[in-house]
Amino acid sequence: MIRVLLAEDQHVIRGALVTLLGLEADLEIVEAVESGDAAVAAALVHRPDVAVLDIDMPGAVDGLAAAAAIRGKLPACRTLMLTGYGKPGHLRRALNSQVDGFLLKTASPEDLVAAIRKVAGGGRVLDPSLAVTAWDLADNPLTPREADVLRLVAGGAEATEVAAQLHLTAGTVRNYLTGIVAKLNARNRTDAVRIAAESGWI
């Protein structure tokens, strides 16, 4: 019996997945939750064999952050990510986080069940439609400090607020932003945030 933890924030999809997976004689849903935080907590309680996690969940802990936390606390638990979009940034973060599987929600029910069985058995799964994307991922041009600055700007912080949080001067932050915009060939800082987020660099 493969013990499965499911995390999906959309109630209808979560309910459908629970019903679908419950039809398989060798799969047992130990819990179905709606957030990354809840997934980590549930994993510690139930110690599943596989955690099936939606990437895009609300709150501070998305599916990939939850996968990393579960891997750190329960190394034996395998992680399979589900997403509605094959964004290069998501795929990059998934590969960097060493998740065991990455599947689009457009996959057939049979493919999902097969993926769960494969990762439970120690294998890895990558949605076939994303294989080319995986080869084409560009290296992150941002330094860790530039990424910190841009991440705060993406969250709505002004230069003075970024400076205060990172213990820099506002002028230094503006210099960083000018450099980031140039480095990413962006039109402005908003465009730089979009490019970096879509590429998985922040």
Side-chain angles (χ1 to χ4, degrees), residues 12-182:
V12 172
I13 295 176
R14 188 169 67 250
L17 288 172
V18 168
T19 300
L20 168 74
L21 297 177
L23 297 174
E24 302 298 321
D26 60 337
L27 302 184
E28 176 191 357
I29 304 296
V30 295
E31 189 161 353
V33 298
E34 62 183 22
S35 70
D37 291 359
V40 176
L44 293 175
V45 171
H46 297 287
R47 307 182 77 79
D49 300 306
V50 178
V52 178
L53 308 166
D54 179 21
I55 287 182
D56 297 305
M57 288 187 286
V61 181
D62 66 4
L64 288 168
I70 290 170
R71 174 177 287 279
K73 297 173 187 296
L74 297 170
C77 179
R78 311 281 288 172
T79 50
L80 174 63
M81 309 310 301
L82 291 180
T83 183
Y85 314 98
K87 294 180 183 176
H90 282 163
L91 182 54
R92 172 188 297 282
R93 285 183 59 208
L95 295 174
N96 289 343
S97 300
Q98 297 183 319
V99 301
D100 303 297
F102 192 96
L103 204 61
L104 293 177
K105 289 182 182 177
T106 53
S108 69
E110 294 80 12
D111 286 344
L112 173 59
V113 170
I116 291 172
R117 289 177 179 142
K118 186 169 182 177
V119 298
R124 300 191 76 181
V125 175
L126 176 63
D127 196 291
S129 65
L130 298 174
V132 174
T133 303
W135 284 108
D136 291 341
L137 290 175
D139 290 331
N140 183 357
L142 300 177
T143 66
R145 179 58 90 184
E146 288 171 337
D148 289 341
V149 168
L150 202 56
R151 200 172 289 114
L152 290 171
V153 169
E158 296 295 328
T160 51
E161 297 170 299
V162 174
Q165 289 191 51
L166 297 180
H167 308 291
L168 302 169
T169 66
T172 299
V173 170
R174 283 190 284 273
N175 288 340
Y176 271 124
L177 289 170
T178 299
I180 290 167
V181 168

